[in-house]
C-alpha cells in the first residue's frame, strides 16, 4: 500500500520538525519519516534513565532571529527557564573560566607564560599567514601560536580525530568569528572588574561571550516532542521507526517515491510532490535511484560521532558550570556536562549529581565498539583524575552513542558539497536539503530551524525565493542577551533573497 502526501520530510530533528510544523499550520499535507523507533529530536532529543534526564551535546536556546525565538515561544510557551551560561577549561590540573578572565588566566599561566603568549600574538599580527586555509593557520592568526597550542590544539583534535592542519579554516571562522586575543583580553578585564553587564547594554557581544540563555525545564526534547504533537494536531503525520532505503523521482509527474523499512523488516511506500531531507547527505545520495553522478563526492564526506557516559553520583560538592572543556591531553574525555546546571529538573534527587562525559570518536572505532561497562569504568577513572567526582561516589551510569553528530570540515568538503548541490538541484527541483547533516554545515539549532523555515516559504510560494545555503554563511552571526529577541534581526536580513 502506498501513502501519498504533498510534502515528505526525512528526519524528525529540529530542521525536519520545524518544516513539518509550519507546513501543517498552513494546512499543507505533510508526513515525517524518522528512523528512531521511540523518540523525535535527533541530536536535540532528551534521554531519560531512571528519571534522570540528559541532553545529547548541550543545546542552549538563544538566537538573534526574532522569527526563531517567536517559533520557540509558540511551540513551547510555558516551559522555558532562564539559565546562566557558565563554562570552564580544564588544562594541566587547573581550571580557567571560559571566556577567559584576564587576571585568573595570568595567575594560572604565570607571568612568564602569559608574556610569551602576548609576544606570540603580537608576532602573529605582524606576520600573519596570508589567506589561511587550515584551522591551525586561522587560530594562529587570531591568537598566536602559543595560545593555539595551549587552548585550541588538544581539544580540537579530540573533537575531530584529525590534525588541526587537516581541518578547514571554515570551521574556525564559523564558530569563533569576531573573537581574537585582543577582544578576549578586553572582555576578560571587564569581567574581572565586574564591568561586564554595564558593557552589554552598549551593544551586541560576540556569541562566544554570551552570559545567559533559555532552556526547556526538562531538556530540549520537550521542544521537539511538542512540535511533533502540534504537527499531528494540525493534521500532519510524524511516523517513527521508518528508515529510508530508496528514493526515486519521476520527472514527468514530479512525484517522489520513497521506500522505508520498519524495525520489524516490513517495507512501506510513500509518494510526495516535495521532498525535504535532513538526513546526512552521504546517506541521502546513496539511497537515490538511479544513482546520481555525485555519489563519489557524497561518499567522500566525513562525519564525527560521539558517545556520552552519564554518571550518577553522590553530590558531595556541586559546581555551577553547564559544561567543562577538557583540554588536558592526559585524559580521553573531551567535555563534561553538568546536567543540574542546565536545569534542576534534569536531576530528580537533590543528593545526587549527574555528569555527562563526552567522548568523540568515529563509528566503528575502539571507543565506539567498546562494551558499556568498559566505557563506564573509563569515565569513572577520568572524572576522578579531573577531580570532579570520586570513583566510589558513582552509583549508576548510562551510555548513549550518537552517530554522525558533526559534519567534518576537511580540506575537500566544500568542493564535494558544491558538486553534490549542483547535481541535485539540476536533477531534482523539488528536493530541499535542510539542517546540519542535511546540508553538511555545522549549524546551530536555530540555524537549522531557519533553513527549514525558509524552505517552507519556498514550497508555499512554489519557487525558490530564498537561498537557504546563505544561513550562517557570512560567519558573523552574533548572539546577545537571554535569547537575542531584544536585538533580533529579521530572517530576510540573515538570508538574502536569491538574485538571478
Amino acid at each position: 500500500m502506498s501513502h501519498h502526501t504533498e510534502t515528505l520530510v526525512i528526519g524528525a530533528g529540529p530542521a525536519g520538525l520545524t518544516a513539518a510544523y509550519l507546513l501543517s499550520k498552513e494546512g499543507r499535507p505533510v508526513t515525517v519519516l524518522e528512523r528512531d523507533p521511540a523518540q523525535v529530536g535527533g541530536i536535540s532529543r532528551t534521554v531519560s534513565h531512571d528519571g534522570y534526564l540528559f541532553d545529547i551535546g548541550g543545546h542552549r536556546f538563544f538566537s538573534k532571529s526574532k522569527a526563531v525565538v517567536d517559533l520557540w515561544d509558540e511551540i513551547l510557551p510555558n516551559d522555558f527557564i532562564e539559565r546562566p551560561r557558565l563554562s570552564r577549561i580544564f588544562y594541566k590540573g587547573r581550571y580557567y573560566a571560559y571566556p577567559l578572565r584576564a587576571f585568573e588566566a595570568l595567575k594560572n599561566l604565570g607571568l612568564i607564560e602569559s608574556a610569551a603568549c602576548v609576544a606570540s600574538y603580537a608576532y602573529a599580527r605582524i606576520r600573519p599567514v596570508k589567506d589561511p586555509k587550515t584551522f591551525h593557520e586561522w587560530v594562529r592568526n587570531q591568537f598566536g601560536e602559543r595560545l593555539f597550542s595551549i587552548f585550541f590544539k588538544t581539544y580540537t583534535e579530540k573533537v575531530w580525530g584529525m590534525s588541526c592542519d587537516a581541518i578547514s579554516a571554515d570551521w574556525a571562522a564559523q564558530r569563533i568569528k569576531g573573537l581574537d586575543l585582543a577582544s578576549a583580553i578586553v572582555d576578560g578585564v571587564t569581567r574581572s572588574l565586574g564591568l561586564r553587564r554595564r558593557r552589554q547594554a552598549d551593544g551586541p557581544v560576540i556569541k562566544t561571550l554570551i552570559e545567559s540563555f533559555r532552556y526547556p525545564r526538562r531538556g530540549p526534547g520537550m521542544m521537539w516532542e511538542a512540535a511533533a504533537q502540534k504537527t499531528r494536531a494540525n493534521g500532519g503525520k510524524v511516523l517513527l521507526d521508518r528508515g529510508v532505503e530508496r528514493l526515486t523521482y519521476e520527472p514527468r509527474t514530479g512525484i517522489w517515491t520513497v521506500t522505508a523499512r520498519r524495525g520489524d523488516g516490513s517495507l512501506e511506500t510513500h509518494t510526495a510532490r516535495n521532498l525535504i531531507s535532513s538526513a546526512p547527505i552521504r546517506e541521502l545520495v546513496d539511497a537515490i535511484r538511479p544513482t546520481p553522478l555525485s555519489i563519489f563526492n557524497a561518499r567522500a564526506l566525513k562525519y564525527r560521532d560521539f558517545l556520552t557516559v552519564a554518571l550518577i553520583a553522590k553530590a558531595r560538592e556541586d559546581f555551577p558550570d553547564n559544561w567543562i572543556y577538557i583540554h588536558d591531553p592526559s585524559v580521553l574525555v573531551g567535555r563534561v556536562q553538568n546536567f543540574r546546571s542546565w536545569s534542576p529538573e534534569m536531576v530528580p534527587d537533590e543528593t545526587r549529581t549527574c555528569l555527562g562525559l563526552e567522548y568523540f570518536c568515529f563509528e566503528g572505532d575502539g571507543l565506539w565498539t567498546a562494551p558499556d561497562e568498559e566505557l563506564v569504568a573509563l569515565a569513572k577513572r577520568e572524572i576522578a583524575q579531573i577531580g570532579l567526582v570520586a570513583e566510589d561516589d558513582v552509583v549508576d551510569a548510562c551510555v548513549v552513542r550518537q552517530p554522525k553528530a558533526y559534519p567534518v570540515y576537511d580540506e575537500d568538503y566544500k568542493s564535494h558539497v558544491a558538486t553534490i548541490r549542483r547535481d541535485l538541484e539540476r536533477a531534482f527541483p523539488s528536493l530541499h536539503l535542510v539542517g546540519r547533516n542535511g546540508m553538511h554545515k555545522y549549524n546551530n539549532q536555530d540555524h537549522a530551524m531557519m533553513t527549514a523555515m525558509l524552505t517552507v516559504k519556498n514550497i508555499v510560494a512554489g519557487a525558490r525565493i530564498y537561498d537557504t545555503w546563505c544561513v550562517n554563511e557570512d560567519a558573523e552571526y552574533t548572539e546577545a542577551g537571554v535569547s537575542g529577541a531584544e536585538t533580533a534581526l529579521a530572517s530576510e536580513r540573515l538570508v538574502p533573497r536569491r538574485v538571478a
Side-chain angles (χ1 to χ4, degrees), residues 52-168:
Y52 289 83
L53 305 175
F54 47 95
D55 193 340
I56 306 299
H59 293 83
R60 296 191 294 257
F61 281 69
F62 58 83
S63 178
K64 233 187 161 183
S65 166
K66 186 176 185 301
V68 171
V69 175
D70 288 346
L71 187 58
W72 282 334
D73 290 334
E74 178 181 325
I75 295 173
L76 202 67
N78 302 311
D79 288 294
F80 276 111
I81 56 176
E82 182 180 343
R83 302 301 294 162
R85 180 215 192 264
L86 188 62
S87 55
R88 287 183 292 171
I89 293 170
F90 180 79
Y91 174 73
K92 287 191 174 179
R94 293 182 179 272
Y95 290 95
Y96 297 78
Y98 182 77
L100 295 174
R101 289 188 171 91
F103 301 140
E104 176 195 67
L106 183 67
K107 177 182 176 182
N108 283 353
L109 288 174
L111 284 171
I112 295 175
E113 184 64 47
S114 296
C117 289
V118 173
S120 174
Y121 169 71
Y123 180 78
R125 302 305 285 181
I126 294 170
R127 300 284 299 273
V129 176
K130 294 183 179 179
D131 190 23
K133 297 289 195 303
T134 70
F135 178 87
H136 181 180
E137 292 172 343
W138 193 97
V139 175
R140 178 260 183 204
N141 280 359
Q142 299 296 110
F143 292 90
E145 188 69 32
R146 205 168 188 98
L147 274 179
F148 162 76
S149 65
I150 293 173
F151 289 120
F152 293 91
K153 185 178 188 297
T154 300
Y155 179 75
T156 301
E157 291 182 354
K158 278 186 184 182
V159 172
W160 295 108
M162 56 197 295
S163 167
C164 290
D165 293 308
I167 300 170
S168 170

Side-chain angles (χ1 to χ4, degrees), residues 274-485:
N274 303 302
L275 183 65
I276 298 175
S277 176
S278 64
I281 290 180
R282 192 169 72 189
E283 294 182 3
L284 173 75
V285 175
D286 202 46
I288 296 175
R289 296 293 182 273
T291 303
L293 295 174
S294 56
I295 182 65
F296 298 106
N297 300 91
R299 290 176 178 172
L301 295 177
K302 300 180 179 69
Y303 302 86
R304 188 64 163 161
D305 316 291
F306 82 91
L307 55 89
T308 297
V309 183
L311 299 179
I312 300 167
K314 299 173 185 176
R316 298 189 186 275
E317 287 186 31
D318 198 11
F319 60 95
D321 305 72
N322 308 116
W323 60 45
I324 297 175
Y325 298 97
I326 310 300
H327 288 224
D328 200 307
S330 67
V331 292
L332 294 177
V333 63
R335 192 167 61 180
V336 177
Q337 303 276 354
N338 180 13
F339 297 116
R340 188 187 296 280
S341 286
W342 286 91
S343 170
E345 291 191 42
M346 305 282 276
V347 183
D349 188 340
E350 292 185 0
T351 69
R352 298 283 187 261
T353 187
C354 184
L355 306 180
L357 281 73
E358 294 179 354
Y359 292 89
F360 304 97
C361 52
F362 289 111
E363 192 172 356
D365 69 12
L367 268 178
W368 183 268
T369 58
D372 287 3
E373 56 269 24
E374 288 185 15
L375 293 170
V376 170
L378 172 65
K380 288 168 66 175
R381 287 196 307 270
E382 294 198 338
I383 202 69
Q385 185 175 338
I386 295 167
L388 293 176
V389 171
E391 283 192 61
D392 292 342
D393 285 346
V394 177
V395 298
D396 197 4
C398 176
V399 177
V400 177
R401 292 168 177 81
Q402 178 59 51
K404 295 182 176 61
Y406 308 121
V408 171
Y409 280 24
D410 58 22
E411 58 187 356
D412 298 319
Y413 92 97
K414 184 178 285 186
S415 63
H416 288 314
V417 172
T419 299
I420 296 164
R421 181 184 170 191
R422 285 194 300 268
D423 189 20
L424 298 185
E425 287 182 354
R426 175 190 57 80
F428 311 116
S430 59
L431 173 61
H432 305 268
L433 306 184
V434 298
R436 175 182 285 191
N437 281 335
M439 304 173 79
H440 205 83
K441 294 182 71 172
Y442 197 126
N443 284 331
N444 288 331
Q445 182 176 226
D446 60 329
H447 299 127
M449 294 175 64
M450 180 63 74
T451 64
M453 294 164 74
L454 297 173
T455 292
V456 169
K457 288 180 179 289
N458 289 343
I459 289 174
V460 171
R464 293 183 187 254
I465 58 174
Y466 290 98
D467 183 0
T468 57
W469 291 85
C470 289
V471 173
N472 202 34
E473 191 174 78
D474 62 5
E476 292 193 13
Y477 185 90
T478 55
E479 323 291 351
V482 172
S483 64

Side-chain angles (χ1 to χ4, degrees), residues 109-304:
L109 288 174
L111 284 171
I112 295 175
E113 184 64 47
S114 296
C117 289
V118 173
S120 174
Y121 169 71
Y123 180 78
R125 302 305 285 181
I126 294 170
R127 300 284 299 273
V129 176
K130 294 183 179 179
D131 190 23
K133 297 289 195 303
T134 70
F135 178 87
H136 181 180
E137 292 172 343
W138 193 97
V139 175
R140 178 260 183 204
N141 280 359
Q142 299 296 110
F143 292 90
E145 188 69 32
R146 205 168 188 98
L147 274 179
F148 162 76
S149 65
I150 293 173
F151 289 120
F152 293 91
K153 185 178 188 297
T154 300
Y155 179 75
T156 301
E157 291 182 354
K158 278 186 184 182
V159 172
W160 295 108
M162 56 197 295
S163 167
C164 290
D165 293 308
I167 300 170
S168 170
D170 292 353
W171 186 72
Q174 181 172 315
R175 304 305 292 182
I176 51 178
K177 177 76 173 181
L179 182 64
D180 59 16
L181 181 59
S183 59
I185 288 174
V186 170
D187 187 81
V189 170
T190 57
R191 288 172 183 272
S192 299
L193 297 177
L195 302 176
R196 177 67 179 163
R197 292 190 178 277
R198 199 181 314 162
R199 194 172 74 84
Q200 276 190 340
D202 298 333
V205 297
I206 298 161
K207 71 177 179 181
T208 314
L209 307 178
I210 67 157
E211 291 190 332
S212 62
F213 60 91
R214 293 196 306 169
Y215 190 73
R217 58 184 179 82
R218 292 179 62 81
M222 288 189 77
M223 170 66 66
W224 306 114
E225 294 290 348
Q229 183 179 2
K230 292 190 174 186
T231 298
R232 293 181 178 117
N234 289 338
K237 296 178 180 178
V238 180
L239 306 178
L240 304 182
D241 194 29
R242 268 78 170 181
V244 172
E245 290 200 346
R246 183 183 175 93
L247 303 160
T248 59
Y249 177 72
E250 175 49 63
R252 291 176 301 170
T253 61
I255 297 296
W256 284 93
T257 300
V258 178
T259 303
R261 186 178 297 275
R262 304 187 65 173
D264 62 7
S266 61
L267 296 175
E268 279 185 359
T269 301
H270 297 263
T271 58
R273 187 160 295 280
N274 303 302
L275 183 65
I276 298 175
S277 176
S278 64
I281 290 180
R282 192 169 72 189
E283 294 182 3
L284 173 75
V285 175
D286 202 46
I288 296 175
R289 296 293 182 273
T291 303
L293 295 174
S294 56
I295 182 65
F296 298 106
N297 300 91
R299 290 176 178 172
L301 295 177
K302 300 180 179 69
Y303 302 86
R304 188 64 163 161

